């Protein structure tokens, strides 16, 4: 079974056809940069370009960085606010002519990792964090993934959203050292451990490829591992989501 997986992020959308039986990408991943925030209409066009790139006609799974209920987008912290209230399946279905299944981007990464990646065969409590433009999160237990919004956990004097203090985008923008940034992540993970008591913590997002540089500054009780799909987890999980929804 083949499905096109698309991961909409704060600075680009990435996509590839995925074999949903194995989680393998069936073609080289395609990336469309979005240097400024696109309106829903512009994003729909970019998604259509992605489908055209792969000459795609079948089902498409899309990971979106916001709260998703069915196919309605309820939050858009790092993208255009006009997405709020949009029906994503209608928006992207119209531009591509394909059936669309929408899922939160971090939940998509969790689905991929629990099926085929760092959490496969693990039934215990797993917290997955994605570090990118924002901080994505989901919890899995018995392999079942629940989307969370822990990036918006209030962070004391730093504001109402922890992600503004510790996303990977902050590491770049503020020119933090790995040690400084790792220290911030350590404090955050310590709070999350008190609340959720995960046995396994999986870290995804582009920066997870550099995990050796900052994991040493995070000292959790749980086992801490990088996402096996690194930054492709969102693509693979979105494709799996679309396949499961059929
Ligand atoms: C959004 C989440 C998303 C995360 C990572 C946050 O700002 O609210 O829904 O999973 O960013 O993209």
């Amino acid at each position: 079974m083949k499905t096109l997986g698309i991961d909409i992020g704060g600075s680009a959308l990435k996509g590839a056809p995925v074999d949903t039986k194995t989680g393998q990408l069936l073609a080289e991943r395609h990336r469309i940069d979005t240097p400024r925030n696109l309106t829903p209409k512009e994003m729909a066009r970019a998604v259509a370009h992605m489908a055209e790139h792969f000459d795609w006609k079948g089902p498409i799974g899309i990971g979106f960085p916001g709260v998703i209920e069915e196919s309605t987008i309820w939050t858009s912290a790092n993208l255009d606010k006009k997405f709020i209230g949009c029906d994503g399946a209608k928006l992207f279905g119209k531009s591509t002519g394909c059936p669309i299944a929408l899922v939160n981007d971090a939940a998509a990464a969790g689905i991929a990792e629990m099926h085929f990646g760092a959490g496969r065969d693990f039934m215990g409590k797993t917290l997955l964090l994605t570090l990118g433009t924002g901080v994505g999160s989901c919890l899995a237990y018995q392999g079942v993934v629940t989307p969370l919004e822990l990036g918006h956990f209030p962070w004391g004097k730093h504001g109402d959203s922890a992600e503004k203090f510790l996303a990977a985008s902050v590491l770049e923008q503020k020119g933090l050292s790995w040690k400084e940034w790792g220290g911030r992540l350590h404090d955050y993970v310590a709070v999350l451990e008190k609340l959720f008591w995960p046995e396994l913590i999986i870290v995804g997002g582009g920066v997870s490829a550099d995990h050796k540089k900052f994991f040493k500054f995070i000292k959790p009780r749980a086992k801490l591992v990088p996402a096996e799909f690194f930054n492709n987890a969102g693509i693979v999980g979105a494709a799996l989501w679309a396949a499961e929804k059929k």
Side-chain angles (χ1 to χ4, degrees):
M1 159 104 214
K2 292 179 197 169
T3 307
L4 181 63
I6 299 179
D7 184 14
I8 294 182
S11 56
L13 51 158
K14 291 157 250 150
V18 175
D19 179 340
T20 56
K21 287 243 156 27
T22 62
Q24 293 308 305
L25 302 195
L26 293 165
E28 198 181 324
R29 163 181 117 154
H30 185 57
R31 176 186 170 105
I32 300 175
D33 285 318
T34 52
R36 60 175 180 83
N37 267 350
L38 303 187
T39 62
K41 249 193 190 166
E42 290 169 327
M43 189 66 85
R45 239 177 277 139
V47 167
H49 287 151
M50 183 67 80
E52 280 157 24
H53 174 85
F54 293 108
D55 202 12
W56 193 260
K57 299 283 179 301
I60 303 179
I62 300 182
F64 185 90
V67 173
I68 309 295
E69 276 175 15
E70 283 293 322
S71 58
T72 304
I73 298 167
W74 283 123
T75 67
S76 176
N78 297 301
L79 292 180
D80 193 323
K81 300 290 175 252
K82 289 198 201 81
F83 278 108
I84 299 169
C86 269
D87 182 320
K90 271 197 194 144
L91 177 71
F92 301 123
K94 204 167 149 203
S95 70
T96 59
C98 298
I100 305 288
L102 208 65
V103 61
N104 170 263
D105 57 351
I111 290 167
E113 290 296 322
M114 296 317 288
H115 268 84
F116 299 118
R120 68 182 168 278
D121 301 328
F122 185 65
M123 292 291 120
K125 216 192 283 172
T126 306
L127 177 67
L128 177 127
L129 298 173
T130 62
L131 305 172
T133 306
V135 174
S137 52
C138 66
L139 197 66
Y141 189 51
Q142 308 275 299
V144 178
V145 170
T146 303
L148 296 174
E149 286 292 331
L150 301 178
H152 299 290
F153 196 81
W155 206 238
K157 63 177 169 31
H158 301 294
D160 56 359
S161 280
E163 71 175 19
K164 291 189 193 134
F165 187 62
L166 41 82
S169 51
V170 177
L171 167 75
E172 286 159 33
Q173 281 155 18
K174 302 273 182 225
L176 301 180
S177 66
W178 289 107
K179 190 176 174 192
E180 277 172 294
W181 186 60
R184 291 183 182 193
L185 291 174
H186 171 85
D187 295 344
Y188 179 61
V189 166
V191 171
L192 299 184
E193 284 207 296
K194 264 195 194 161
L195 298 173
F196 295 101
W197 283 83
E199 294 158 67
L200 176 68
I201 301 176
I202 304 175
V203 174
V207 78
S208 58
D210 280 321
H211 63 97
K212 289 208 172 91
K213 296 182 182 151
F214 64 94
F215 269 21
K216 56 187 167 210
F217 304 114
I218 310 172
K219 300 198 173 11
R221 165 193 167 268
K223 187 174 169 204
L224 179 69
V225 296
E228 279 185 18
F229 285 102
F230 294 116
N231 214 11
N232 286 341
I235 296 176
V236 174
L240 293 181
W241 177 255
E244 277 173 11
K245 281 224 119 178
K246 281 188 74 239

